[in-house]
Amino acid sequence: MRILVINGPNLNLLGIREPEIYGDGNYYDLCEKINLKCRELNIDVDIFQSNHEGEIVDKIGESYKETDGIIINPAAYTHTSIAIADALKAVSLPYVEVHISDLSKREEFRQISYIRDEALATVMGKGFDGYLEAIDILNTIVTLELSKGYPCGEVEAPPSKSYTHRALILGAFSKQSIIKNVVLSEDIFETIDCLRNLGANVGIEDDTVTIGGLNLLDIKNNTEIYCGDSGSTLRFLIPICLLAGSRVTFKGTERLLSRPLDEYEKFCKEVGFSFEKNRDSVTVFGNLSCGDYKITSSVSSQYVTGLLLALSVIEGKSTVEVVGKIESKPYIYITVDILKKFGIDVSVNENTITVIGKQLIDNKEYAVEFDASNSAYLEALNFVGNIRVNSTDNPTVQGDIIYKEMFSRLKNGEKKFDLEDCPDLAPIMFSASCLFGGAEFTGTRRLQYKESNRNVTMKQELEKFGVLVKIEENSVIINAENIQKPTKMLVGHNDHRVVMALALLCVKYGGKIRGAQAVKKSFPNFFDRLEELGVKLKEI
């Protein structure tokens, strides 16, 4: 692996320039630290520094065929240089943005970054060690080449991530529950680690998790938990921690903490709880009790689920009225279903959900059902092959099972689809539609709040296949009449569903996907399943 490290203006003055902000180490010390780290990892590195914008742009351009990834600290150009941002986009190499100081705590003008939206990650406020973290990030990138092929055979459907999150949280409040058929993805590990840090006893053996013993009174004041990039973990556990009467701080990736939490902030203000959000953390403090509550879910149903989970683990009757339009309503049905499976008395009357909670959840042995969302990304291979995904005919309340109907309509020539209640199907529907000349999709507004802005990232990648994509406020129009083998390296944008959606088109046309490791977030053995079906792939 070969990486390029670019440092912008005045970083050659490290050790002299404002040591109270940038530290006492000089530029030579920084370079030595970077070189040592790269030698340990057997990485070739080119370190470059310039005080001139044009020289940095030229260096990025020269890296196109010689470099696997870039670490860049543009310094003051971070806030001003569209040219550097355009150069990074042009070479389409993975890059990590680094800053020695924490820009979020500095002047207002430093809050602007023209390169952040396309970066794999941004590392700030960690001094010279931030460069070492960036090297580790680039070193984890996996690039896969998929050959054209005809997949055939049968595979098992993956376990549901949605059900697993909920089952783990409820099981934590029992004496001891056993959750079977668990997919140990990155998101599920984040939930397990957070519950363990809050006081739950957790054991893992193969695909079985034994969990229990979490007592709200044991949650200590000023507890910190790390949610990684898992929106479910963060949004489900915020109300749980509001039960504790202790200050709890949530940390996670920058992308996670940039996703909306407005409804919780509004909810906390209305009931008199503390909710403090900044760039790198969210801190809550409250003493949530049984009662009648109102909350909106115009951005995410996860707000409703989080509140329901919390109210189910305290003694007494509560109601949750969902105000206004309900987004992703089927996910609320999943929550109601799992509450019933764990012995919680819950009922739904139009937009009001009544839950009678209990302080100690019944011990439960529960096997997680199949994941409709991720199964869609496998079953789409039937568009280019002949496969069977077992278990997907089992009864389920998962809304994303609608993929079966959507796939059938697509095959029958339909061109208009609404994704409002099934946003996780958007990437695979976008890709699948390309095999039939394209389609028009509505209900796409919320895709901007996912692991990536999926409207934008799918547009960028589909265009590499010669596909035309038009993004409107709440719709996406795809014209794939001239689709062809991709002309450039495909990029996963650290988004598991984008990677899996691109894989479908690569099986049809061939292609290379950089950042394929993103599937670990929800479906870590996705590419193993593809190989089982005869898809030829290799790491490059």
Side-chain angles (χ1 to χ4, degrees):
M1 185 179 193
R2 181 175 181 79
I3 65 173
L4 169 64
V5 178
I6 297 177
N7 287 300
N10 299 315
L11 287 168
N12 58 313
L13 299 177
L14 286 170
I16 301 172
R17 179 193 176 199
E18 300 176 279
E20 69 278 6
I21 295 176
Y22 298 101
D24 297 323
N26 59 36
Y27 188 67
Y28 174 81
D29 296 330
L30 172 61
C31 293
E32 279 295 294
K33 200 161 192 173
I34 292 170
N35 279 318
L36 178 61
K37 175 74 171 181
C38 289
R39 283 197 296 270
E40 291 174 354
L41 296 175
N42 196 28
I43 294 173
D44 293 329
V45 61
D46 178 13
I47 305 175
F48 174 80
Q49 190 276 328
S50 176
N51 296 322
H52 305 286
E53 182 180 30
E55 290 182 357
I56 294 173
V57 170
D58 288 343
K59 187 66 176 180
I60 293 170
E62 292 166 4
S63 71
Y64 177 55
K65 293 186 178 180
E66 301 175 356
T67 302
D68 297 304
I70 297 173
I71 294 169
I72 182 166
N73 181 348
Y77 286 137
T78 304
H79 325 298
T80 63
S81 181
I82 296 173
I84 290 174
D86 284 348
L88 289 167
K89 288 180 183 178
V91 297
S92 195
L93 289 168
Y95 66 89
V96 179
E97 176 186 7
V98 175
H99 299 284
I100 295 170
S101 65
D102 186 350
L103 299 185
S104 69
K105 298 177 180 177
R106 299 187 63 188
E107 302 95 325
E108 185 65 28
F109 72 87
R110 296 189 195 272
Q111 306 312 306
I112 297 170
S113 171
Y114 283 99
I115 69 169
R116 189 159 301 156
D117 286 347
E118 301 296 324
L120 277 176
T122 299
V123 184
M124 298 196 306
K126 297 184 178 181
F128 291 179
D129 286 345
Y131 288 83
L132 309 188
E133 183 174 328
I135 292 168
D136 284 332
I137 291 170
L138 286 180
N139 196 42
T140 63
I141 293 173
V142 174
T143 300
L144 292 180
E145 181 177 8
L146 282 73
S147 301
K148 291 191 295 183
Y150 187 84
C152 58
E154 61 181 69
V155 291
E156 286 299 319
S160 168
K161 184 167 73 85
S162 297
Y163 270 92
T164 303
H165 280 298
R166 292 158 171 82
L168 289 169
I169 291 170
L170 292 171
F173 285 93
S174 69
K175 286 185 178 179
Q176 185 181 83
S177 288
I178 299 172
I179 316 298
K180 297 181 177 180
N181 197 32
V182 173
V183 58
L184 293 170
S185 63
E186 288 179 346
D187 276 11
I188 296 304
F189 270 122
E190 300 298 358
T191 291
I192 289 172
D193 286 345
C194 286
L195 291 170
R196 184 185 279 127
N197 290 334
L198 290 173
N201 301 315
V202 183
I204 302 174
E205 185 174 351
D206 298 327
D207 66 349
T208 299
V209 178
T210 302
I211 190 166
L214 178 55
N215 188 326
L216 292 168
L217 298 177
D218 293 338
I219 299 177
K220 297 178 181 179
N221 202 34
N222 296 319
T223 293
E224 286 192 3
I225 57 177
Y226 182 77
C227 301
D229 199 36
S230 176
S232 297
T233 306
L234 176 64
R235 287 179 175 153
F236 292 172
L237 291 182
I238 283 176
I240 293 286
C241 290
L242 286 171
L243 297 168
S246 301
R247 285 178 61 86
V248 178
T249 296
F250 295 82
K251 294 192 172 182
T253 65
E254 182 179 359
R255 177 64 187 175
L256 174 67
L257 293 167
S258 70
R259 294 168 72 176
L261 290 172
D262 299 355
E263 289 307 318
Y264 280 153
E265 186 170 11
K266 177 183 174 184
F267 174 80
C268 287
K269 184 177 181 180
E270 288 174 352
V271 297
F273 298 159
S274 173
F275 185 98
E276 304 166 16
K277 185 176 187 294
N278 56 42
R279 187 179 174 279
D280 59 4
S281 67
V282 176
T283 300
V284 299
F285 174 80
N287 195 3
L288 185 64
S289 59
C290 297
D292 300 322
Y293 298 100
K294 295 182 179 182
I295 195 164
T296 63
S297 69
S298 58
V299 172
S300 175
S301 64
Q302 290 177 345
Y303 296 125
V304 180
T305 288
L307 190 54
L308 288 173
L309 290 171
L311 294 173
S312 70
V313 299
I314 52 174
E315 200 77 36
K317 179 180 178 180
S318 298
T319 63
V320 176
E321 180 184 348
V322 185
V323 179
K325 190 173 185 180
I326 303 177
E327 297 286 359
S328 298
K329 196 171 185 177
Y331 284 94
I332 298 177
Y333 296 151
I334 290 175
T335 304
V336 171
D337 186 44
I338 195 73
L339 288 175
K340 290 179 177 178
K341 284 181 166 65
F342 274 77
I344 302 298
D345 187 349
V346 58
S347 59
V348 181
N349 183 11
E350 296 183 349
N351 280 15
T352 299
I353 304 165
T354 301
V355 57
I356 301 176
K358 50 178 72 177
Q359 193 166 356
L360 184 64
I361 299 294
D362 297 339
N363 292 343
K364 181 73 176 177
E365 185 170 316
Y366 170 71
V368 177
E369 67 174 68
F370 77 96
D371 190 313
S373 306
N374 281 343
S375 293
Y377 288 79
L378 286 176
E379 204 149 337
L381 292 169
N382 274 316
F383 291 125
V384 294
N386 182 18
I387 73 159
R388 174 177 172 78
V389 182
N390 295 325
S391 302
T392 60
D393 291 331
N394 294 343
T396 183
V397 301
Q398 295 179 64
D400 284 355
I401 197 65
I402 199 172
Y403 79 81
K404 289 177 175 286
E405 176 191 320
M406 286 184 165
F407 285 179
S408 176
R409 289 164 52 199
L410 191 58
K411 281 184 177 179
N412 290 332
E414 289 197 36
K415 294 292 185 181
K416 290 189 177 182
F417 299 87
D418 182 46
L419 300 171
E420 188 167 27
D421 283 335
C422 52
D424 286 344
L425 297 181
I428 193 61
M429 286 299 296
F430 289 174
S431 285
S433 76
C434 292
L435 302 174
F436 297 88
E440 180 179 347
F441 299 92
T442 56
T444 59
R445 174 180 55 84
R446 288 184 300 128
L447 296 183
Q448 64 186 303
Y449 301 125
K450 297 295 184 177
E451 282 77 359
S452 68
N453 182 334
R454 287 178 179 161
N455 290 322
V456 173
T457 53
M458 286 299 294
K459 171 183 168 67
Q460 291 173 353
E461 301 313 309
L462 292 178
E463 286 178 344
K464 295 175 184 177
F465 288 88
V467 174
L468 301 177
V469 181
K470 182 179 180 182
I471 300 173
E472 297 182 343
E473 182 181 356
N474 197 33
S475 66
V476 172
I477 302 169
I478 294 175
N479 181 339
E481 291 180 1
N482 297 314
I483 190 169
Q484 60 185 9
K485 183 176 180 177
T487 55
K488 295 181 180 179
M489 174 79 73
L490 302 171
V491 180
H493 299 274
N494 202 31
D495 190 324
H496 54 135
R497 300 201 192 279
V498 169
V499 171
M500 292 190 290
L502 295 175
L504 170 65
L505 295 180
C506 287
V507 173
K508 174 67 175 178
Y509 298 100
K512 301 173 184 177
I513 305 175
R514 179 187 290 127
Q517 76 287 343
V519 299
K520 293 179 181 179
K521 180 177 175 63
S522 68
F523 196 169
N525 59 352
F526 173 75
F527 286 105
D528 294 333
R529 298 288 177 86
L530 264 59
E531 285 189 300
E532 290 174 26
L533 295 168
V535 175
K536 293 183 179 180
L537 53 88
K538 64 179 180 179
E539 187 172 342
I540 58 176

